[in-house]
Amino acid sequence: MANINPRVIKVEYAVRGPIVIRAGEIEKQIKEGQHNFPFDRVIRANIGDCHASGNQVPVTYIRQFLAGCTYPPLIDSSDFPSDIKQKVQRLLSVCGGKSLGSYTESQGLITVREDIAKYIQERDGYPSNPSDIYLCNGASDGIKTVIKLLMNNDPKKPSGIMIPVPQYPLYSATLSEYGAHQIEYYLDEDNNWALNIDELERALNQSKEHCVPRGIVIINPGNPTGQVLSRENIENIVRFAEKHRLFILADEVYQENTYLPGSKFFSFKKVLMDLGAPYNHMEMASFHSASKGWHGECGSRGGYYELINIDKDVRMQVNKLISASLCSAAWGQAMMGAIINPPKEGELSYELYKKERSDIVSRLKQKADLVSQLFNSVEGVRCNAVMGAMYAFPRIEIPEKAIQHAKSKNMAPDAFYCFQFLEKTGVCVVPGSGFKQKPGTHHLRTTILPPVDQMKVMVEKFRKFHMEFLREWK
Amino acid sequence: MANINPRVIKVEYAVRGPIVIRAGEIEKQIKEGQHNFPFDRVIRANIGDCHASGNQVPVTYIRQFLAGCTYPPLIDSSDFPSDIKQKVQRLLSVCGGKSLGSYTESQGLITVREDIAKYIQERDGYPSNPSDIYLCNGASDGIKTVIKLLMNNDPKKPSGIMIPVPQYPLYSATLSEYGAHQIEYYLDEDNNWALNIDELERALNQSKEHCVPRGIVIINPGNPTGQVLSRENIENIVRFAEKHRLFILADEVYQENTYLPGSKFFSFKKVLMDLGAPYNHMEMASFHSASKGWHGECGSRGGYYELINIDKDVRMQVNKLISASLCSAAWGQAMMGAIINPPKEGELSYELYKKERSDIVSRLKQKADLVSQLFNSVEGVRCNAVMGAMYAFPRIEIPEKAIQHAKSKNMAPDAFYCFQFLEKTGVCVVPGSGFKQKPGTHHLRTTILPPVDQMKVMVEKFRKFHMEFLREWK
């Protein structure tokens, strides 16, 4: 231990942290039948994993396409849908030896990048170029690559990246690993977790003696906070970034996950282009993923990023850097391609696809609505509306006595709270402290993915637990 | 450009470098019908990509298994092989929601890790524990993770890692990216590219004023050099590493690729265990990949590493670090699982599997033999036997006049040579300088993957080109 990379030791990642490890141990004890827990199953609401936590069945079209790419003799069967057959043939035509088993171009298969560019163009109304698109192993991989580019490796005055608080812990983990400075800006909880420009200025200003500010991360729709930023808010963020010459990292992996009427998703690219000069020349990256949306294909680790307005020499550097890992997984690329280019009306697979989509989407909307209502009905809990993404991030009042007790055990108060919640009810959520939060506030993050009936059980368990906790520690 | 990470600028990766980009341009011109090249196709011998360069068809069993995992309704069909059906069911039983679309455990699916542990145990005769196995996105991903652990991030006296010269350029690229010191040791070309212990001592000694030596990379079977190390050579390397307390990184991705009679593969783990105390307590990592072997499933980016004798606290750090990227691609994991646990004699899929395997393996053996013979028949070229892996690394005599001309153009002499070879014949190989080589020597790396007839054409083109080159520059 004395010899390992000290930056690795600093890395923290709560979504798979100690509470999740404990949940696994409890599950194992339950499975083995030797336990005294007052519950007989663990409800996992710690991770945005649709197929695992929501018992959600994969989308037929996506899996037929991927199976056809995997084992092409399938597409010659008479019951293989002809529209999907054509898509399989098109994809394999650009694979070396017509096999998904070949390395792809480092940036990813050209047909997939063409489809992504088309998707972006239709979304934003501005052109997108396939040579600006980079397929990667999940958005995480792409985010790490882009942050890497911004590092100066100066231990005295390292590069600084602005990250929201609360944030998705991949960011703090990556910045720790790279030895960068984390410039934390607080999201405005009282204003539906919007970004406040004065707060951005404050955070940036205070950071300048510690680092060289280089970029700003915005997660929209928000993880763990579930907000969808307004167009006006995005415009102001773009102006702020331009003023301070910050590279924008737009984490837009939840772009298809918006629920509340009126909470429309605007991409940073669109806003930047709409604003015209000088904004439409700003450098930025936008990240998307096969893991999220409503299809939730996390296991494929499909993802992409678009590099916008990047200097051509810098792009050559990116291409060289990623080529040393050869390419991202071809199956993940195919998955991303399937998601981004679904069956169109009139095509053979369309009706089933449409039905499956509307079933899943309507369940997600229902749960997004339900979860904040339920949390808000509990005394001492306040939960912003889940406008988008897959999470609720309710704020919990923790009695002072419990706070002191947690501190005496060297635990964050909400970690103590969430561990108790797990041990007493079997529900696994992630403490707010794992995402960072404003000092003095306490939260937990739950996904909205468990099935509706489990979700209701979960919140009822929570209500009962919370009341008892308040009683015990008052 | 002035603002990007200076370490990124230092990264070099020849296997997908300028010559390969140029080959792509030429291919495009040929496809568009507008060209004056004296050839009508590019032969790509630059990358170990079986399906793309060898027109090799994927193994039926592997793809049926993966298609079944992807779209489970397939396995209920009466013509789906029952043995593969059982394997699909077993794999999906450990996936969240029985879907490959769920995140897996960070280390990878337990059944796959169990199968890998069994494979290792059968290979070495020593126990292997599934909790020491880490699935990753290709061996590259695993190698980067393990090297990361060994970094001290001290710019004045950084961690040093010993790498062979010639080496696979992922190593130099990764060490540049991490700001580590590359301790280069020369392989002994006159002795079939073996490791000479005096040379290891020299390299290590000379490095000590520049770095803190932490590990040694050995690639066996060798890339780009094609040697298979003798057991005795491995024993001596282990003793050397123990003496200097170096962490062993054993790149064993070509462990199934041995061709010459008598060139048996011994894993570092086996030798370490055979040697007994204190060697059998040494820390090491061994890497394997789905991309190589004879099945060549590069696109899946499946791979794994085994961490041997690792301190339990360090292992917790590894687990934490990899959890921030959630998990490697589930399809790549399934692929690695399929490769490592093939059909057994008596099972329904066995006969076809056996036939496909023996066809591919015998072609590889034939080509390994052919390629060194052919190169050695050319004046001014000397090529060690291809004992294993997928490459020949012939040494080329380049006339002094050509060397001076290349230098005047700021090119490595063998890069100039290989570019000429590409422009005049359409054959794309990688200059030896991309892998590093002993100063004053020049090489090229070619794969042995093109089909036998193409391979013969390729070497005939080479013979003619080389003669003309000698004439021109003498």
Side-chain angles (χ1 to χ4, degrees):
Chain A
M1 266 297 276
N3 283 328
I4 84 163
N5 188 335
R7 289 183 187 165
V8 168
I9 294 173
K10 279 191 198 140
V11 165
E12 285 183 23
Y13 186 72
V15 176
R16 295 204 152 185
I19 197 161
V20 185
I21 294 169
R22 178 65 188 143
E25 290 168 2
I26 293 176
E27 262 173 348
K28 204 174 154 212
Q29 285 176 49
I30 291 176
K31 206 171 160 190
E32 290 165 354
Q34 296 175 319
H35 73 96
N36 295 316
F37 298 105
F39 49 85
D40 54 12
R41 64 168 298 184
V42 170
I43 299 180
R44 285 186 175 255
N46 59 292
I47 190 164
D49 188 346
C50 295
H51 297 194
S53 34
N55 298 334
Q56 182 183 314
V57 171
V59 177
T60 305
Y61 144 72
I62 292 177
R63 293 306 188 91
Q64 284 180 321
F65 170 76
L66 217 62
C69 293
T70 303
Y71 186 55
L74 286 176
I75 67 175
D76 295 326
S77 155
S78 58
D79 55 357
F80 196 88
S82 56
D83 58 331
I84 305 183
K85 177 176 179 170
Q86 281 177 19
K87 285 185 172 171
V88 169
Q89 287 171 328
R90 175 168 167 258
L91 187 89
L92 293 181
S93 76
V94 297
C95 294
K98 296 202 187 331
S99 166
L100 221 48
S102 299
Y103 291 119
T104 73
E105 282 182 75
S106 304
Q107 283 190 250
L109 294 163
I110 181 65
T111 55
V112 175
R113 289 188 285 125
E114 281 167 358
D115 291 347
I116 292 171
K118 206 167 151 219
Y119 162 84
I120 294 173
Q121 195 154 335
E122 283 168 10
R123 183 193 69 193
D124 295 340
Y126 291 99
S128 170
N129 189 333
S131 49
D132 293 335
I133 311 289
Y134 293 76
L135 276 300
C136 47
N137 291 316
S140 306
D141 176 30
I143 290 165
K144 293 180 91 163
T145 300
V146 174
I147 292 181
K148 193 181 291 166
L149 292 176
L150 302 173
M151 296 297 99
N152 65 5
N153 313 307
D154 180 349
K156 282 192 205 100
K157 208 159 186 189
S159 295
I161 305 288
M162 300 189 74
I163 57 170
V165 170
Q167 51 114 31
Y168 173 57
L170 171 72
Y171 292 101
S172 49
T174 301
L175 296 174
S176 296
E177 187 188 319
Y178 292 174
H181 185 76
Q182 303 173 29
I183 310 174
E184 302 180 355
Y185 65 87
Y186 294 122
L187 298 174
D188 187 353
E189 183 164 13
D190 294 332
N191 190 14
N192 254 333
W193 299 111
L195 276 73
N196 178 309
I197 305 302
D198 291 341
E199 167 58 13
L200 295 181
E201 293 282 1
R202 177 206 62 78
L204 187 69
N205 247 324
Q206 285 187 6
S207 77
K208 284 186 176 163
E209 59 180 308
H210 308 296
C211 70
V212 184
R214 301 297 293 276
I216 179 167
V217 171
I218 304 102
I219 311 174
N220 179 45
N223 175 7
T225 39
Q227 82 279 34
V228 179
L229 298 182
S230 72
R231 200 195 145 89
E232 192 196 348
N233 202 176
I234 298 175
E235 285 178 4
N236 290 331
I237 298 163
V238 169
R239 289 195 185 95
F240 168 83
E242 201 280 332
K243 177 178 161 195
H244 297 288
R245 299 180 55 91
L246 296 172
F247 187 100
I248 294 176
L249 295 104
D251 179 339
E252 298 177 323
V253 301
Y254 296 100
Q255 59 190 269
E256 293 173 58
N257 298 89
T258 57
Y259 309 116
L260 274 196
S263 60
K264 183 167 155 50
F265 168 77
F266 293 96
S267 77
F268 267 80
K269 181 182 179 188
K270 179 180 171 50
V271 173
L272 199 120
M273 294 296 164
D274 282 352
L275 284 173
Y279 308 103
N280 58 3
H281 296 297
M282 288 172 69
E283 296 173 300
M284 65 160 284
S286 163
F287 303 92
H288 196 14
S289 165
S291 305
K292 307 304 171 185
W294 50 274
H295 32 73
E297 290 281 6
C298 313
S300 73
R301 312 308 288 117
Y304 78 81
Y305 51 103
E306 185 187 18
L307 291 181
I308 297 151
N309 293 325
I310 299 295
D311 177 273
K312 119 183 157 322
D313 291 337
V314 172
R315 203 160 64 188
M316 278 181 61
Q317 294 292 326
V318 181
N319 292 3
K320 180 192 68 178
L321 180 66
I322 59 170
S323 78
S325 297
L326 295 160
C327 63
S328 67
W331 272 260
Q333 296 183 29
M335 179 68 85
M336 195 74 232
I339 287 168
I340 230 76
N341 180 26
K344 305 280 180 297
E345 202 160 350
E347 289 177 346
L348 195 57
S349 306
Y350 181 71
E351 287 305 322
L352 177 59
Y353 171 80
K354 190 178 140 192
K355 187 187 172 313
E356 290 176 338
R357 181 181 59 188
S358 90
D359 285 355
I360 299 173
V361 169
S362 70
R363 279 203 300 276
L364 281 171
K365 283 197 175 172
Q366 186 191 352
K367 290 187 280 185
D369 196 38
L370 186 69
V371 72
S372 56
Q373 269 185 39
L374 288 174
F375 275 118
N376 279 322
S377 73
V378 179
E379 186 199 325
V381 178
R382 226 182 63 196
C383 186
N384 279 333
V386 180
M387 303 163 77
M390 295 179 172
Y391 315 100
F393 198 65
R395 180 165 168 179
I396 316 287
E397 298 297 330
I398 298 184
E400 189 54 33
K401 211 172 118 193
I403 293 176
Q404 293 313 325
H405 178 77
K407 285 184 178 162
S408 76
K409 297 198 140 196
N410 220 356
M411 279 175 99
D414 49 16
F416 172 66
Y417 180 94
C418 290
F419 262 101
Q420 291 283 307
F421 185 36
L422 171 64
E423 299 285 343
K424 294 196 172 165
T425 69
V427 178
C428 181
V429 295
V430 186
S433 46
F435 304 90
K436 300 182 186 272
Q437 56 197 348
K438 217 168 191 171
T441 69
H442 304 106
H443 299 80
L444 61 83
R445 188 190 81 165
T446 175
T447 73
I448 60 165
L449 298 178
V452 173
D453 53 337
Q454 261 189 50
M455 198 92 142
K456 288 183 179 164
V457 169
M458 189 179 111
V459 180
E460 277 321 303
K461 282 182 169 206
F462 173 77
R463 186 194 310 277
K464 206 167 145 241
F465 163 77
H466 186 70
M467 291 301 128
E468 277 171 21
F469 188 90
L470 289 188
R471 213 169 303 133
E472 187 178 349
W473 294 99
K474 218 147 222 174
Chain B
M1 268 299 276
N3 283 328
I4 84 164
N5 188 336
R7 288 183 187 164
V8 168
I9 295 175
K10 279 191 200 142
V11 165
E12 285 182 23
Y13 186 72
V15 176
R16 294 204 152 183
I19 198 161
V20 184
I21 294 170
R22 177 66 188 143
E25 290 167 3
I26 294 176
E27 262 174 349
K28 207 176 152 212
Q29 286 177 49
I30 291 176
K31 208 172 159 188
E32 289 164 356
Q34 296 174 319
H35 74 96
N36 295 316
F37 297 106
F39 48 86
D40 55 12
R41 66 167 299 185
V42 170
I43 300 179
R44 284 185 176 258
N46 60 293
I47 190 163
D49 188 345
C50 295
H51 297 193
S53 32
N55 298 334
Q56 182 183 313
V57 171
V59 176
T60 306
Y61 144 73
I62 291 177
R63 294 306 188 93
Q64 284 181 323
F65 170 75
L66 217 61
C69 293
T70 302
Y71 187 55
L74 288 175
I75 66 174
D76 294 327
S77 154
S78 59
D79 55 356
F80 196 90
S82 56
D83 57 331
I84 305 184
K85 177 175 178 170
Q86 280 178 20
K87 285 185 172 171
V88 169
Q89 287 173 326
R90 174 168 168 259
L91 187 88
L92 293 180
S93 75
V94 297
C95 294
K98 298 203 188 328
S99 167
L100 221 48
S102 298
Y103 292 119
T104 73
E105 282 182 75
S106 303
Q107 281 189 253
L109 293 163
I110 181 66
T111 54
V112 176
R113 288 188 284 126
E114 282 168 358
D115 291 347
I116 292 171
K118 206 168 150 218
Y119 162 84
I120 294 172
Q121 194 154 338
E122 282 169 9
R123 182 192 70 193
D124 295 339
Y126 291 100
S128 171
N129 190 333
S131 50
D132 293 335
I133 309 289
Y134 292 75
L135 276 301
C136 47
N137 291 317
S140 306
D141 176 31
I143 289 166
K144 293 180 91 163
T145 300
V146 174
I147 292 181
K148 191 180 291 164
L149 293 175
L150 301 174
M151 296 297 100
N152 66 5
N153 313 307
D154 180 348
K156 284 194 205 99
K157 208 158 185 191
S159 295
I161 305 288
M162 301 189 73
I163 57 171
V165 170
Q167 52 116 28
Y168 173 55
L170 170 72
Y171 292 101
S172 48
T174 300
L175 296 174
S176 295
E177 186 187 319
Y178 292 174
H181 185 76
Q182 303 173 27
I183 310 173
E184 302 179 353
Y185 64 86
Y186 294 122
L187 297 175
D188 187 353
E189 184 164 12
D190 294 332
N191 189 15
N192 254 332
W193 300 111
L195 277 73
N196 177 312
I197 304 303
D198 290 341
E199 166 58 15
L200 295 180
E201 293 281 2
R202 176 207 62 79
L204 186 69
N205 247 325
Q206 285 187 6
S207 77
K208 283 186 177 162
E209 58 180 309
H210 308 294
C211 71
V212 185
R214 301 296 292 278
I216 179 168
V217 171
I218 304 102
I219 311 175
N220 178 45
N223 176 6
T225 37
Q227 82 279 34
V228 178
L229 298 182
S230 71
R231 199 196 145 90
E232 191 194 350
N233 201 179
I234 299 175
E235 285 178 5
N236 290 332
I237 299 162
V238 169
R239 288 195 185 95
F240 167 83
E242 201 280 332
K243 176 176 161 197
H244 297 287
R245 297 180 55 92
L246 296 171
F247 186 101
I248 294 176
L249 294 104
D251 179 339
E252 297 176 327
V253 300
Y254 296 99
Q255 59 191 268
E256 293 173 58
N257 298 88
T258 56
Y259 309 115
L260 275 195
S263 60
K264 183 169 156 47
F265 168 78
F266 293 96
S267 76
F268 268 80
K269 181 181 178 188
K270 180 180 170 51
V271 173
L272 201 120
M273 294 298 164
D274 281 352
L275 283 174
Y279 307 103
N280 58 3
H281 296 298
M282 287 172 71
E283 294 173 300
M284 67 161 282
S286 163
F287 303 92
H288 196 13
S289 167
S291 305
K292 307 305 171 187
W294 50 274
H295 32 71
E297 290 280 5
C298 313
S300 73
R301 313 306 289 118
Y304 78 81
Y305 50 103
E306 184 186 20
L307 292 181
I308 297 150
N309 293 326
I310 300 295
D311 177 272
K312 120 182 155 322
D313 291 336
V314 172
R315 204 161 65 191
M316 276 180 63
Q317 294 293 327
V318 181
N319 291 5
K320 179 192 69 179
L321 180 67
I322 59 169
S323 78
S325 296
L326 293 160
C327 63
S328 67
W331 272 260
Q333 295 183 29
M335 180 69 85
M336 195 74 233
I339 287 168
I340 229 76
N341 181 26
K344 305 279 181 298
E345 200 158 353
E347 289 177 347
L348 196 56
S349 306
Y350 181 72
E351 287 305 322
L352 178 60
Y353 171 81
K354 189 178 141 192
K355 185 186 173 313
E356 291 177 337
R357 181 180 61 188
S358 89
D359 285 354
I360 300 173
V361 169
S362 70
R363 280 203 300 274
L364 281 171
K365 284 197 174 170
Q366 187 192 351
K367 290 187 280 185
D369 195 37
L370 186 69
V371 72
S372 57
Q373 270 184 39
L374 289 174
F375 275 117
N376 279 323
S377 72
V378 180
E379 185 200 327
V381 178
R382 225 183 62 196
C383 186
N384 278 332
V386 180
M387 303 163 76
M390 294 180 172
Y391 314 100
F393 199 64
R395 181 166 169 177
I396 316 287
E397 297 298 330
I398 298 183
E400 189 54 32
K401 212 173 117 193
I403 292 175
Q404 293 312 325
H405 178 77
K407 284 185 179 163
S408 75
K409 298 200 138 200
N410 221 356
M411 280 176 98
D414 50 15
F416 172 67
Y417 181 94
C418 290
F419 262 101
Q420 291 283 310
F421 185 36
L422 172 64
E423 298 285 345
K424 296 198 169 162
T425 68
V427 178
C428 180
V429 295
V430 186
S433 47
F435 303 90
K436 300 179 184 275
Q437 56 198 346
K438 217 169 191 170
T441 70
H442 304 106
H443 299 78
L444 62 82
R445 188 192 80 166
T446 176
T447 72
I448 59 165
L449 297 177
V452 173
D453 53 336
Q454 262 188 49
M455 199 92 146
K456 287 183 179 162
V457 169
M458 187 178 112
V459 181
E460 276 323 302
K461 283 181 168 207
F462 174 77
R463 186 195 310 276
K464 206 168 144 241
F465 163 79
H466 185 70
M467 290 302 128
E468 277 170 23
F469 188 90
L470 289 188
R471 215 169 301 134
E472 187 179 349
W473 294 99
K474 218 150 223 171

